């Protein structure tokens, strides 16, 4: 989720809320793929109506959005609304097993619908996106008239209710992106037949995922906002003395096939997290490590350590948590596919966006 200027949550006392877009009243779209047969499906329109009866709905266009004849009706409705929520995105018509996309743009004229409604509305609109794969959010992110973005994936049979509860503040969002949101031109830089994860100057591949992508993402992996306001402080660092590459590689190799193995940390970071807001919320605390040779000879730019935590904080509450870095976090696949480490200063970054930094030396 992204929101600016306290656009969310919406007030339940608003006199007219307009819901616009091809996915606003969608039902089966919420289920995604590999779904069972649910006893019910609640669309976003259903969910909003359960909280506020003052809602008006206009399609604007269907999911393909090749026909723009419904735009005028949607624009007129937006002009007189107290709040506007636009619901765009994909469905199994555009992405499914055996049905790959060649673009990561919104279908048809969906973004034109957003722009038209956005410019007509009296206050910034909220964009909700239903999608499994990446979609370029540059237009929405850069538009001053878009006040909030909620990336909802395919949230399931009660997804419409869950989204409505976030829109009206009954639930404080705390999710983080599980993928990198690339600009649309990414598909022109990487061939569909190029399976390389790492950047390649010869082919023009800028790299894939947060670990190797050398371009500027629209939103990076791990992005996500809440209605709370969290503050980080590094309390202490407890580290082993003279940790060597040989030690790290030996331990990592010994537990390579045992994901549940308990490993002594080489460093423990005690971090204080405070919720400086009047609303309780959850915060997912991420810790990334970057090797001394980040981005060189196939080394990742950074990688997520396995000790990330999600904590719940009441309003104005603080907690101290421990984030451990183990030998398993300090190895990466070299050019031969063998998990190896690197001597030098490893950069530790905590939070997304980065809130705290530190270094960890390997000999």
């Amino acid at each position: 989720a992204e929101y600016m200027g306290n656009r969310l949550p919406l007030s339940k006392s608003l006199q007219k809320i307009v819901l616009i877009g091809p996915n606003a009243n969608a039902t089966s779209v919420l289920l995604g793929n590999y779904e069972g047969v649910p006893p019910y499906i609640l669309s976003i329109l259903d969910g909003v109506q359960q909280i506020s009866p003052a809602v008006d709905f206009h399609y604007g266009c269907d999911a393909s959005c090749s026909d723009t004849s419904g735009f005028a009706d949607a624009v007129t409705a937006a002009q007189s609304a107290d709040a506007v929520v636009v619901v765009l995105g994909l469905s199994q018509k555009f992405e499914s097993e055996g049905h790959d996309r060649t673009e990561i743009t919104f279908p048809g004229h969906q973004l034109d619908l957003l722009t038209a409604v956005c410019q007509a509305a009296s206050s910034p609109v909220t964009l909700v996106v239903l999608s499994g794969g990446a979609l370029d959010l540059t237009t929405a992110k850069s538009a001053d008239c878009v006040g909030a973005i909620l990336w909802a994936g395919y949230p399931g049979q009660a997804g419409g209710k869950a989204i409505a509860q976030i829109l009206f503040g009954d639930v404080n969002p705390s999710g983080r992106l599980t993928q990198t949101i690339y600009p649309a031109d990414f598909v022109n830089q990487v061939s569909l037949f190029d399976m390389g994860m790492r950047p390649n100057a010869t082919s023009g591949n800028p790299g894939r995922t947060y670990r190797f992508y050398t371009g500027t993402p629209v939103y990076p992996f791990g992005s996500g906002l809440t209605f709370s306001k969290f503050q980080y402080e590094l309390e202490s660092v407890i580290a082993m003395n003279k940790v060597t590459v040989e030690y790290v590689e030996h331990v990592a190799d010994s537990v390579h096939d045992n994901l549940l193995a308990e490993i002594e940390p080489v460093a423990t970071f005690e971090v204080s997290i405070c919720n400086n807001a009047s609303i309780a919320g959850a915060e997912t605390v991420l810790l990334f490590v970057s090797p001394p040779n980040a981005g060189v000879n196939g080394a990742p730019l950074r990688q997520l350590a396995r000790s990330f935590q999600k904590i719940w904080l009441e309003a104005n509450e603080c907690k101290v948590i421990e984030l451990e870095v183990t030998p398993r976090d300090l190895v990466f696949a070299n050019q031969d596919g063998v998990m190896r480490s690197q001597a030098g200063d490893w950069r530790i970054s905590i939070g997304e966006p980065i809130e705290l930094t530190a270094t960890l030396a390997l000999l």
Side-chain angles (χ1 to χ4, degrees), residues 27-317:
T27 51
S28 59
V29 172
L30 300 175
L31 303 180
N33 207 342
Y34 300 107
E35 78 282 4
V37 180
Y40 62 88
I41 306 176
L42 292 176
S43 71
I44 298 175
L45 177 60
D46 293 330
V48 172
Q49 287 175 330
Q50 288 183 358
I51 297 175
S52 173
V55 60
D56 192 13
F57 166 61
H58 299 268
Y59 268 114
C61 64
D62 62 15
S64 297
C65 209
S66 56
D67 181 1
T68 62
S69 60
F71 282 23
D73 182 53
V75 166
T76 299
Q79 289 173 333
S80 60
D82 297 314
V84 178
V85 179
V86 180
V87 189
L88 305 178
L90 304 178
S91 69
Q92 296 303 293
K93 177 181 178 180
F94 303 99
E95 55 178 3
S96 62
E97 194 71 49
H99 186 178
D100 295 329
R101 291 181 292 143
T102 58
E103 299 176 339
I104 54 174
T105 53
F106 284 80
H109 295 283
Q110 283 195 22
L111 287 181
D112 294 330
L113 173 63
L114 173 65
T115 299
V117 168
C118 194
Q119 292 176 346
S122 60
S123 59
V125 306
T126 297
L127 172 64
V128 178
V129 181
L130 300 184
S131 176
L135 283 170
D136 181 9
L137 292 169
T138 299
T139 297
K141 181 181 181 181
S142 60
D144 291 337
C145 56
V146 175
I149 302 171
L150 180 62
W151 181 278
Y154 294 127
Q157 67 182 42
K161 180 176 182 179
I163 291 170
Q165 288 176 330
I166 290 175
L167 293 176
F168 287 96
D170 291 345
V171 171
N172 188 354
S174 60
R176 292 188 176 272
L177 281 177
T178 59
Q179 58 185 294
T180 300
I181 302 296
Y182 303 102
D185 192 51
F186 178 75
V187 300
N188 300 318
Q189 298 174 311
V190 184
S191 168
L192 185 63
F193 302 101
D194 181 355
M195 295 293 103
M197 297 291 289
R198 293 164 174 80
N200 185 314
T202 302
S203 68
N205 183 345
R208 285 185 168 91
T209 78
Y210 79 98
R211 298 180 70 229
F212 299 107
Y213 181 55
T214 54
T216 301
V218 182
Y219 287 107
F221 165 81
S223 295
L225 299 177
T226 81
F227 299 145
S228 300
K229 184 177 181 180
F230 296 105
Q231 180 180 346
Y232 289 52
E233 287 190 14
L234 184 60
E235 297 289 333
S236 66
V237 180
I238 304 170
M240 287 184 178
N241 290 323
K242 299 180 179 181
V243 181
T244 66
V245 166
E246 290 76 13
Y247 171 78
V248 166
E249 291 179 348
H250 170 72
V251 175
D253 286 344
S254 69
V255 297
H256 180 70
D257 296 324
N258 185 0
L259 297 179
L260 300 180
E262 294 187 9
I263 311 172
E264 184 179 2
V266 298
T268 301
F269 297 84
E270 290 191 341
V271 179
S272 170
I273 314 289
C274 292
N275 179 9
N276 297 328
S278 59
I279 180 174
E283 173 73 337
T284 303
V285 185
L286 307 179
L287 185 149
F288 296 91
V289 299
S290 298
N293 60 334
V296 178
N297 294 327
L301 299 170
R302 63 176 184 160
Q303 57 192 28
L304 182 66
R306 291 165 173 80
S307 65
F308 60 87
Q309 292 187 36
K310 189 164 190 172
I311 60 172
W312 177 266
L313 292 173
E314 297 296 331
N316 301 309
E317 181 185 11

